[in-house]
Amino acid sequence: MEHHRAEEIMSAIESRLATLSAKGIKALRGRSFPGDGSALPRVNVYQGSDRPVEKGVNNLALIDRELEVRVDAYVDAAPEQLDAALNQIRREVYVAMMAEQNMTLPFIQIVMWKGDGAPEVPDPEAHPSVGRVAMSFAVRYRHSHGNPSA
């Protein structure tokens, strides 16, 4: 079964972020809150919008698209150490995402960093030591006009 190129990209990102386990950072695909902090530090990666590139190729043969990817990093640390701990994970994620501009997939044109949100404590009453920061990336890729897996 052929997969949509967006799925191939998300699988490649998941594999790339899995290398962070060597640094003690778990990588998971999907949207979920880590709860009590026992499985931290970790990053969640999930797919955002997937739109045609305005100034890209868009004809009867090929379409250039831009896939938004969000990575949420979570840490469990003392309040005065949350920013430093989140900044360290931000660095590791950035290096992993930008290591190879096409992620070894020939249809990817470029991976771009789009920005990071402000560090936050998403559930301060239940989990005051769990911090989160959201990182955004965009992946430009090309596929056949008639088949998003080709």
Side-chain angles (χ1 to χ4, degrees):
M1 180 175 155
E2 294 181 73
H3 295 285
H4 192 291
R5 290 230 163 132
E7 181 58 29
E8 290 182 61
I9 292 167
M10 293 305 296
S11 293
I13 291 170
E14 186 177 15
S15 296
R16 183 164 291 228
L17 294 179
T19 64
L20 299 177
S21 65
K23 298 178 190 248
I25 303 167
K26 296 170 187 69
L28 304 170
R29 185 163 170 198
R31 299 162 176 87
S32 64
F33 185 73
D36 65 4
S38 62
L40 300 179
R42 88 174 199 202
V43 295
N44 290 359
V45 59
Y46 53 94
Q47 179 177 326
S49 64
D50 189 8
R51 297 188 170 103
V53 175
E54 283 187 34
K55 295 187 180 183
V57 172
N58 191 356
N59 58 39
L60 293 177
L62 300 168
I63 297 175
D64 287 345
R65 298 176 77 139
E66 188 170 291
L67 176 67
E68 293 179 11
V69 177
R70 180 166 162 167
V71 179
D72 286 350
Y74 292 91
V75 297
D76 186 10
E80 64 276 3
Q81 297 172 341
L82 279 175
D83 286 352
L86 288 167
N87 284 335
Q88 183 60 38
I89 292 181
R90 284 177 55 213
R91 180 201 172 281
E92 299 298 340
V93 168
Y94 183 89
V95 168
M97 290 290 292
M98 304 306 280
E100 195 167 349
Q101 284 298 295
N102 70 356
M103 295 191 171
T104 69
L105 296 172
F107 55 85
I108 291 179
Q109 298 167 348
I110 191 168
V111 177
M112 299 170 290
W113 172 72
K114 299 298 270 187
D116 298 338
E120 63 180 350
V121 177
D123 190 357
E125 290 183 24
H127 308 288
S129 63
V130 175
R132 173 181 65 197
V133 67
M135 296 161 274
S136 297
F137 296 88
V139 179
R140 284 201 180 164
Y141 69 100
R142 180 172 286 169
H143 68 76
S144 162
H145 188 274
N147 183 349
S149 63

